[in-house]
Each structure stands twice: as structure tokens, then as C-alpha cells.
Amino acid sequence: METVNVAIVYYSATGTVHALARAAAEGAEKAGADVRLRKIAEPAPPEVIDTRPEWAQHVRDTADVPVATVDDLAWADAVLFGTPTRFGNPASPLRAFIEAAGPLWFQGKLADKVYSAFTASNTAHGGQESTILALANTFYHWGGIIVPPGYTDPIQFQSGNPYGASHVAGEGPVSEVALQSARHQARRVTETAAAFKTGRAA
Ligand SMILES: Cc1cc2nc3c(=O)[nH]c(=O)nc-3n(C[C@H](O)[C@H](O)[C@H](O)COP(=O)(O)O)c2cc1C
């Protein structure tokens, strides 16, 4: 298989999406990809973060995760974006990062890559699908190849979310089903990107 570069770019305040991102990184690595796991820089000031101990703890726990730059998008053959649902939409720090990629888009350097997304919400019907679909709007603008997990693996019938891996944070720690779904999604993204890369090189 052609080696593919997979960037996993995520925002997480309290660690749920981070756990899914790590699982996605495992899935992509296992499928043979070179992986960059990158967090979106935390824009909130320390006094706001400190109002929630779990938020402050997560910032400390992930201090060693490199911060995403638009160069990571340019490098990647495939990008998986992770974000919490915020009022049914992607979190604004991720949106700010995406908007900073405007010059790259203008140069045509975001087209023809494989894109996929995963998310978390606090409640079961709190906007997971709308969040992932909102990100897909951007993938269309970029001329991306959208690769959702669908029901392409038995784990998807347990996760129940064909749009992307997801977890309901209000139900407790990230479940093994959600982690397996993220691994599967990243594997599928990697294999699809590899097929495109091999085909284009031929
Ligand atoms: C401003 C804000 C808006 C949110 N909106 C929603 C929402 O629309 N639906 C929902 O179920 N949860 C909502 N949540 C909860 C987050 O989705 C949840 O805390 C998040 O998925 C946890 O992910 P994290 O641990 O990676 O930060 C919201 C949280 C914040 C801070």
C-alpha cells in the first residue's frame, strides 16, 4: 500500500474528543499511515479554563500534543477533524483554524484530499450529525473527497453513527464502541487515501 500522510486535527476542552482522536490515530497507524495527531490551540484564557477543573486538567494532560498548523493540512493526504458539538455546530476554535486555511484553499492545496470528521455531544440527540454535516460543507468548498464510516464494519451497527465516530459525554467516559468506531473510521480513511494516491501515481 502507498504510504499516506494522515493528519488528525481536533479541538477538545475536557478530553472526550481527544480520546476519539487518539483512537483515530491508532487506527490510521495500524493501517500503515504516517500520522500527525494535532490539537487546536486553546484560545480561552487561563482564568476561564480554571472555572472548570476537568478543563484545566485536560489542558495540562495534553500539553505535549503539538498544536495544529495549516502546514499539517498541506502535508496530509487525508484529514480527520474532531470537535465537540457546540449548539449543534463545530466548536469555534476549530472553525477559526479552518478559516486560517483560506490562503491554502486559494492555492488549490486543500482539494483532492480525503476528509472525515468525528464528534462528541453531551446528550444523545444534541447535534452530533449536524456538527459533522456542518464540517462537510467546508469539505465541499475545498473539493475534498468525503469518506464517512457508514455501516462498513460491524462496529458501526453498535455505534449507530454512519456520519462519524461519536460519543455522548453525558453518559460517561468514552466507550470502547466509540473508540473502535474511531479506529475503523481512520482505517477506512487511510485505505481510501492510499487507493487514490496509488491510482494517481500510476
Ligand atoms: C458552549 C457549549 C455548547 C454546547 N452545545 C451542545 C449541544 O448543542 N449539544 C450537546 O449535546 N452538547 C453540547 N455541549 C456539550 C459538549 O458537546 C460536550 O461537553 C463535549 O462534547 C465534550 O467534548 P470534550 O470533552 O472533547 O470537550 C456544549 C458545550 C459548550 C461548552
Side-chain angles (χ1 to χ4, degrees):
M1 187 181 87
E2 188 89 18
T3 300
V4 294
N5 297 338
V6 175
I8 296 163
V9 176
Y10 75 95
Y11 175 76
S12 182
T14 55
T16 313
V17 173
H18 169 72
L20 294 173
R22 285 182 61 95
E26 289 165 16
E29 268 162 16
K30 209 166 170 196
D34 282 343
V35 176
R36 289 187 186 178
L37 177 66
R38 298 289 185 265
K39 69 183 177 194
I40 299 294
E42 177 55 72
E47 61 270 24
V48 173
I49 294 170
D50 288 343
T51 60
R52 292 181 65 195
E54 66 274 32
W55 191 0
Q57 184 65 48
H58 180 65
V59 169
R60 284 193 293 275
D61 288 349
T62 53
D64 62 335
V65 178
V67 169
T69 69
V70 290
D71 285 345
D72 295 317
L73 301 182
W75 167 84
D77 299 303
V79 186
L80 287 118
F81 286 104
T83 176
T85 287
R86 296 257 165 111
F87 303 130
N89 275 292
S92 62
L94 178 63
R95 287 304 314 172
F97 174 80
I98 283 172
E99 290 178 23
L104 218 53
W105 161 79
F106 191 67
Q107 297 165 47
K109 291 185 177 168
L110 295 175
D112 302 332
K113 297 175 190 286
V114 168
Y115 295 100
S116 203
F118 55 93
T119 192
S121 62
N122 216 41
T123 58
H125 301 283
Q128 295 182 349
E129 295 173 13
S130 59
T131 297
I132 291 173
L133 290 172
L135 280 170
N137 286 332
T138 295
F139 305 154
Y140 275 87
H141 282 250
W142 289 354
I145 300 149
I146 299 171
V147 176
Y151 291 95
T152 55
D153 185 275
I155 196 65
Q156 290 303 115
F157 290 91
Q158 291 185 57
S159 81
N161 192 339
Y163 300 85
S166 60
H167 178 67
V168 179
E171 291 179 357
V174 181
S175 67
E176 188 51 38
V177 167
L179 295 174
Q180 279 187 48
S181 175
R183 289 185 197 110
H184 167 66
Q185 183 176 358
R187 183 168 59 243
R188 180 169 157 80
V189 161
T190 301
E191 289 171 354
T192 305
F196 274 110
K197 200 167 182 177
T198 303
R200 286 175 183 138

